[in-house]
PDB file of all heavy atoms in Angstrom:
ATOM      1  N   ASP A 129      -7.553 -16.833   6.220  1.00  0.00           N
ATOM      2  CA  ASP A 129      -7.570 -16.704   4.774  1.00  0.00           C
ATOM      3  C   ASP A 129      -6.146 -16.365   4.303  1.00  0.00           C
ATOM      4  O   ASP A 129      -5.490 -15.517   4.879  1.00  0.00           O
ATOM      5  CB  ASP A 129      -8.553 -15.589   4.392  1.00  0.00           C
ATOM      6  CG  ASP A 129      -8.699 -15.411   2.886  1.00  0.00           C
ATOM      7  OD1 ASP A 129      -7.676 -14.959   2.267  1.00  0.00           O
ATOM      8  OD2 ASP A 129      -9.740 -15.681   2.346  1.00  0.00           O
ATOM      9  N   ILE A 239     -16.252 -13.619 -12.719  1.00  0.00           N
ATOM     10  CA  ILE A 239     -16.775 -13.822 -11.383  1.00  0.00           C
ATOM     11  C   ILE A 239     -16.222 -12.635 -10.593  1.00  0.00           C
ATOM     12  O   ILE A 239     -15.036 -12.583 -10.268  1.00  0.00           O
ATOM     13  CB  ILE A 239     -16.286 -15.168 -10.788  1.00  0.00           C
ATOM     14  CG1 ILE A 239     -16.752 -16.321 -11.641  1.00  0.00           C
ATOM     15  CG2 ILE A 239     -16.803 -15.315  -9.349  1.00  0.00           C
ATOM     16  CD1 ILE A 239     -16.173 -17.649 -11.219  1.00  0.00           C
ATOM     17  N   GLY A 272     -19.230 -13.234  -6.291  1.00  0.00           N
ATOM     18  CA  GLY A 272     -18.819 -14.093  -5.198  1.00  0.00           C
ATOM     19  C   GLY A 272     -18.330 -13.242  -4.016  1.00  0.00           C
ATOM     20  O   GLY A 272     -18.277 -12.032  -4.104  1.00  0.00           O
ATOM     21  N   ASP A 273     -17.963 -13.928  -2.931  1.00  0.00           N
ATOM     22  CA  ASP A 273     -17.490 -13.201  -1.781  1.00  0.00           C
ATOM     23  C   ASP A 273     -15.975 -13.475  -1.521  1.00  0.00           C
ATOM     24  O   ASP A 273     -15.550 -13.431  -0.393  1.00  0.00           O
ATOM     25  CB  ASP A 273     -18.331 -13.528  -0.537  1.00  0.00           C
ATOM     26  CG  ASP A 273     -18.239 -15.042  -0.162  1.00  0.00           C
ATOM     27  OD1 ASP A 273     -17.504 -15.768  -0.850  1.00  0.00           O
ATOM     28  OD2 ASP A 273     -18.935 -15.390   0.804  1.00  0.00           O
ATOM     29  N   PHE A 274     -15.266 -13.778  -2.576  1.00  0.00           N
ATOM     30  CA  PHE A 274     -13.787 -14.009  -2.545  1.00  0.00           C
ATOM     31  C   PHE A 274     -13.437 -15.323  -1.913  1.00  0.00           C
ATOM     32  O   PHE A 274     -12.256 -15.585  -1.617  1.00  0.00           O
ATOM     33  CB  PHE A 274     -13.090 -12.860  -1.836  1.00  0.00           C
ATOM     34  CG  PHE A 274     -13.311 -11.521  -2.454  1.00  0.00           C
ATOM     35  CD1 PHE A 274     -14.065 -10.549  -1.841  1.00  0.00           C
ATOM     36  CD2 PHE A 274     -12.716 -11.205  -3.673  1.00  0.00           C
ATOM     37  CE1 PHE A 274     -14.265  -9.309  -2.444  1.00  0.00           C
ATOM     38  CE2 PHE A 274     -12.930  -9.977  -4.290  1.00  0.00           C
ATOM     39  CZ  PHE A 274     -13.687  -9.018  -3.682  1.00  0.00           C
ATOM     40  N   THR A 275     -14.387 -16.250  -1.704  1.00  0.00           N
ATOM     41  CA  THR A 275     -14.092 -17.551  -1.167  1.00  0.00           C
ATOM     42  C   THR A 275     -14.153 -18.601  -2.300  1.00  0.00           C
ATOM     43  O   THR A 275     -14.787 -18.413  -3.358  1.00  0.00           O
ATOM     44  CB  THR A 275     -15.084 -17.972  -0.094  1.00  0.00           C
ATOM     45  OG1 THR A 275     -16.420 -18.068  -0.651  1.00  0.00           O
ATOM     46  CG2 THR A 275     -15.110 -16.984   1.045  1.00  0.00           C
ATOM     47  N   GLU A 276     -13.518 -19.738  -2.037  1.00  0.00           N
ATOM     48  CA  GLU A 276     -13.511 -20.803  -3.059  1.00  0.00           C
ATOM     49  C   GLU A 276     -14.945 -21.339  -3.315  1.00  0.00           C
ATOM     50  O   GLU A 276     -15.341 -21.570  -4.437  1.00  0.00           O
ATOM     51  CB  GLU A 276     -12.637 -21.975  -2.574  1.00  0.00           C
ATOM     52  CG  GLU A 276     -12.511 -23.104  -3.582  1.00  0.00           C
ATOM     53  CD  GLU A 276     -11.589 -24.193  -3.130  1.00  0.00           C
ATOM     54  OE1 GLU A 276     -10.715 -23.919  -2.266  1.00  0.00           O
ATOM     55  OE2 GLU A 276     -11.702 -25.336  -3.638  1.00  0.00           O
ATOM     56  N   ALA A 277     -15.709 -21.487  -2.257  1.00  0.00           N
ATOM     57  CA  ALA A 277     -17.063 -22.008  -2.411  1.00  0.00           C
ATOM     58  C   ALA A 277     -17.922 -21.064  -3.285  1.00  0.00           C
ATOM     59  O   ALA A 277     -18.682 -21.515  -4.140  1.00  0.00           O
ATOM     60  CB  ALA A 277     -17.730 -22.210  -1.051  1.00  0.00           C
ATOM     61  N   SER A 278     -17.748 -19.757  -3.059  1.00  0.00           N
ATOM     62  CA  SER A 278     -18.548 -18.810  -3.862  1.00  0.00           C
ATOM     63  C   SER A 278     -18.098 -18.843  -5.323  1.00  0.00           C
ATOM     64  O   SER A 278     -18.889 -18.609  -6.242  1.00  0.00           O
ATOM     65  CB  SER A 278     -18.414 -17.399  -3.272  1.00  0.00           C
ATOM     66  OG  SER A 278     -17.144 -16.823  -3.507  1.00  0.00           O
ATOM     67  N   GLY A 279     -16.817 -19.054  -5.559  1.00  0.00           N
ATOM     68  CA  GLY A 279     -16.290 -19.134  -6.915  1.00  0.00           C
ATOM     69  C   GLY A 279     -16.875 -20.322  -7.647  1.00  0.00           C
ATOM     70  O   GLY A 279     -17.214 -20.280  -8.839  1.00  0.00           O
ATOM     71  N   ALA A 280     -16.934 -21.479  -6.951  1.00  0.00           N
ATOM     72  CA  ALA A 280     -17.519 -22.680  -7.577  1.00  0.00           C
ATOM     73  C   ALA A 280     -18.990 -22.465  -7.888  1.00  0.00           C
ATOM     74  O   ALA A 280     -19.448 -22.849  -8.981  1.00  0.00           O
ATOM     75  CB  ALA A 280     -17.347 -23.856  -6.608  1.00  0.00           C
ATOM     76  N   ALA A 281     -19.747 -21.864  -6.969  1.00  0.00           N
ATOM     77  CA  ALA A 281     -21.147 -21.629  -7.197  1.00  0.00           C
ATOM     78  C   ALA A 281     -21.378 -20.651  -8.328  1.00  0.00           C
ATOM     79  O   ALA A 281     -22.263 -20.832  -9.185  1.00  0.00           O
ATOM     80  CB  ALA A 281     -21.802 -21.103  -5.935  1.00  0.00           C
ATOM     81  N   ALA A 282     -20.539 -19.597  -8.413  1.00  0.00           N
ATOM     82  CA  ALA A 282     -20.679 -18.628  -9.485  1.00  0.00           C
ATOM     83  C   ALA A 282     -20.345 -19.241 -10.819  1.00  0.00           C
ATOM     84  O   ALA A 282     -21.001 -18.971 -11.847  1.00  0.00           O
ATOM     85  CB  ALA A 282     -19.745 -17.435  -9.214  1.00  0.00           C
ATOM     86  N   MET A 283     -19.322 -20.115 -10.852  1.00  0.00           N
ATOM     87  CA  MET A 283     -18.936 -20.735 -12.112  1.00  0.00           C
ATOM     88  C   MET A 283     -20.028 -21.657 -12.637  1.00  0.00           C
ATOM     89  O   MET A 283     -20.398 -21.689 -13.809  1.00  0.00           O
ATOM     90  CB  MET A 283     -17.654 -21.554 -11.886  1.00  0.00           C
ATOM     91  CG  MET A 283     -17.059 -22.127 -13.183  1.00  0.00           C
ATOM     92  SD  MET A 283     -16.322 -20.881 -14.260  1.00  0.00           S
ATOM     93  CE  MET A 283     -17.516 -20.828 -15.583  1.00  0.00           C
ATOM     94  N   SER A 300     -10.553 -13.122  -7.639  1.00  0.00           N
ATOM     95  CA  SER A 300      -9.641 -13.575  -6.592  1.00  0.00           C
ATOM     96  C   SER A 300      -9.168 -14.965  -6.895  1.00  0.00           C
ATOM     97  O   SER A 300      -9.834 -15.724  -7.602  1.00  0.00           O
ATOM     98  CB  SER A 300     -10.278 -13.532  -5.181  1.00  0.00           C
ATOM     99  OG  SER A 300     -11.114 -14.640  -4.985  1.00  0.00           O
ATOM    100  N   ASP A 301      -8.005 -15.351  -6.370  1.00  0.00           N
ATOM    101  CA  ASP A 301      -7.520 -16.717  -6.551  1.00  0.00           C
ATOM    102  C   ASP A 301      -8.432 -17.735  -5.907  1.00  0.00           C
ATOM    103  O   ASP A 301      -8.651 -18.847  -6.513  1.00  0.00           O
ATOM    104  CB  ASP A 301      -6.111 -16.846  -5.986  1.00  0.00           C
ATOM    105  CG  ASP A 301      -5.052 -16.204  -6.854  1.00  0.00           C
ATOM    106  OD1 ASP A 301      -5.350 -15.847  -8.009  1.00  0.00           O
ATOM    107  OD2 ASP A 301      -3.888 -16.011  -6.366  1.00  0.00           O
ATOM    108  N   ASN A 302      -8.935 -17.438  -4.747  1.00  0.00           N
ATOM    109  CA  ASN A 302      -9.848 -18.385  -4.119  1.00  0.00           C
ATOM    110  C   ASN A 302     -11.017 -18.681  -4.987  1.00  0.00           C
ATOM    111  O   ASN A 302     -11.418 -19.867  -5.143  1.00  0.00           O
ATOM    112  CB  ASN A 302     -10.291 -17.869  -2.741  1.00  0.00           C
ATOM    113  CG  ASN A 302      -9.175 -17.836  -1.708  1.00  0.00           C
ATOM    114  OD1 ASN A 302      -8.275 -18.662  -1.772  1.00  0.00           O
ATOM    115  ND2 ASN A 302      -9.270 -16.889  -0.756  1.00  0.00           N
ATOM    116  N   MET A 303     -11.627 -17.676  -5.542  1.00  0.00           N
ATOM    117  CA  MET A 303     -12.752 -17.870  -6.454  1.00  0.00           C
ATOM    118  C   MET A 303     -12.332 -18.533  -7.745  1.00  0.00           C
ATOM    119  O   MET A 303     -13.056 -19.346  -8.318  1.00  0.00           O
ATOM    120  CB  MET A 303     -13.470 -16.536  -6.757  1.00  0.00           C
ATOM    121  CG  MET A 303     -14.103 -15.927  -5.514  1.00  0.00           C
ATOM    122  SD  MET A 303     -15.299 -14.580  -5.885  1.00  0.00           S
ATOM    123  CE  MET A 303     -14.218 -13.377  -6.690  1.00  0.00           C
ATOM    124  N   GLY A 304     -11.088 -18.268  -8.195  1.00  0.00           N
ATOM    125  CA  GLY A 304     -10.562 -18.898  -9.380  1.00  0.00           C
ATOM    126  C   GLY A 304     -10.408 -20.397  -9.190  1.00  0.00           C
ATOM    127  O   GLY A 304     -10.726 -21.213 -10.073  1.00  0.00           O
ATOM    128  N   VAL A 305      -9.933 -20.790  -8.046  1.00  0.00           N
ATOM    129  CA  VAL A 305      -9.756 -22.213  -7.720  1.00  0.00           C
ATOM    130  C   VAL A 305     -11.150 -22.901  -7.620  1.00  0.00           C
ATOM    131  O   VAL A 305     -11.324 -24.021  -8.081  1.00  0.00           O
ATOM    132  CB  VAL A 305      -8.965 -22.424  -6.412  1.00  0.00           C
ATOM    133  CG1 VAL A 305      -9.012 -23.862  -5.936  1.00  0.00           C
ATOM    134  CG2 VAL A 305      -7.516 -21.945  -6.609  1.00  0.00           C
ATOM    135  N   GLY A 306     -12.135 -22.178  -7.063  1.00  0.00           N
ATOM    136  CA  GLY A 306     -13.478 -22.688  -7.058  1.00  0.00           C
ATOM    137  C   GLY A 306     -14.015 -22.889  -8.437  1.00  0.00           C
ATOM    138  O   GLY A 306     -14.722 -23.849  -8.736  1.00  0.00           O
ATOM    139  N   ALA A 307     -13.697 -21.945  -9.343  1.00  0.00           N
ATOM    140  CA  ALA A 307     -14.134 -22.050 -10.718  1.00  0.00           C
ATOM    141  C   ALA A 307     -13.533 -23.257 -11.418  1.00  0.00           C
ATOM    142  O   ALA A 307     -14.193 -23.988 -12.175  1.00  0.00           O
ATOM    143  CB  ALA A 307     -13.775 -20.789 -11.505  1.00  0.00           C
ATOM    144  N   LEU A 308     -12.229 -23.504 -11.120  1.00  0.00           N
ATOM    145  CA  LEU A 308     -11.592 -24.696 -11.749  1.00  0.00           C
ATOM    146  C   LEU A 308     -12.316 -26.004 -11.288  1.00  0.00           C
ATOM    147  O   LEU A 308     -12.525 -26.910 -12.070  1.00  0.00           O
ATOM    148  CB  LEU A 308     -10.114 -24.771 -11.258  1.00  0.00           C
ATOM    149  CG  LEU A 308      -9.180 -23.697 -11.794  1.00  0.00           C
ATOM    150  CD1 LEU A 308      -7.778 -23.905 -11.187  1.00  0.00           C
ATOM    151  CD2 LEU A 308      -9.102 -23.745 -13.317  1.00  0.00           C
ATOM    152  N   ARG A 309     -12.690 -26.043 -10.023  1.00  0.00           N
ATOM    153  CA  ARG A 309     -13.389 -27.227  -9.506  1.00  0.00           C
ATOM    154  C   ARG A 309     -14.751 -27.387 -10.194  1.00  0.00           C
ATOM    155  O   ARG A 309     -15.111 -28.527 -10.588  1.00  0.00           O
ATOM    156  CB  ARG A 309     -13.575 -27.081  -7.978  1.00  0.00           C
ATOM    157  CG  ARG A 309     -14.407 -28.177  -7.365  1.00  0.00           C
ATOM    158  CD  ARG A 309     -14.103 -28.309  -5.876  1.00  0.00           C
ATOM    159  NE  ARG A 309     -14.320 -27.074  -5.146  1.00  0.00           N
ATOM    160  CZ  ARG A 309     -15.487 -26.667  -4.637  1.00  0.00           C
ATOM    161  NH1 ARG A 309     -16.587 -27.409  -4.837  1.00  0.00           N
ATOM    162  NH2 ARG A 309     -15.557 -25.567  -3.940  1.00  0.00           N
ATOM    163  N   ALA A 310     -15.495 -26.271 -10.344  1.00  0.00           N
ATOM    164  CA  ALA A 310     -16.796 -26.399 -11.001  1.00  0.00           C
ATOM    165  C   ALA A 310     -16.651 -26.809 -12.486  1.00  0.00           C
ATOM    166  O   ALA A 310     -17.504 -27.570 -12.965  1.00  0.00           O
ATOM    167  CB  ALA A 310     -17.529 -25.067 -10.858  1.00  0.00           C
ATOM    168  N   ARG A 312     -14.259 -28.608 -13.749  1.00  0.00           N
ATOM    169  CA  ARG A 312     -13.891 -30.032 -13.757  1.00  0.00           C
ATOM    170  C   ARG A 312     -15.104 -30.885 -13.532  1.00  0.00           C
ATOM    171  O   ARG A 312     -15.336 -31.909 -14.215  1.00  0.00           O
ATOM    172  CB  ARG A 312     -12.786 -30.290 -12.715  1.00  0.00           C
ATOM    173  CG  ARG A 312     -12.287 -31.729 -12.716  1.00  0.00           C
ATOM    174  CD  ARG A 312     -10.997 -31.845 -11.863  1.00  0.00           C
ATOM    175  NE  ARG A 312     -11.193 -31.324 -10.541  1.00  0.00           N
ATOM    176  CZ  ARG A 312     -10.584 -30.225 -10.058  1.00  0.00           C
ATOM    177  NH1 ARG A 312      -9.825 -29.508 -10.846  1.00  0.00           N
ATOM    178  NH2 ARG A 312     -10.807 -29.822  -8.811  1.00  0.00           N
ATOM    179  N   VAL A 332      -2.307 -20.768  -3.146  1.00  0.00           N
ATOM    180  CA  VAL A 332      -3.370 -21.620  -3.652  1.00  0.00           C
ATOM    181  C   VAL A 332      -3.397 -21.617  -5.174  1.00  0.00           C
ATOM    182  O   VAL A 332      -3.751 -22.631  -5.815  1.00  0.00           O
ATOM    183  CB  VAL A 332      -4.724 -21.217  -3.079  1.00  0.00           C
ATOM    184  CG1 VAL A 332      -5.154 -19.855  -3.567  1.00  0.00           C
ATOM    185  CG2 VAL A 332      -5.791 -22.255  -3.355  1.00  0.00           C
TER     186      VAL A 332
END
Side-chain angles (χ1 to χ4, degrees):
D129 182 292
I239 301 173
D273 62 2
F274 301 109
T275 63
E276 182 177 340
S278 72
M283 188 71 252
S300 78
D301 284 347
N302 289 331
M303 294 195 299
V305 170
L308 293 178
R309 174 158 56 87
R312 184 167 54 248
V332 67

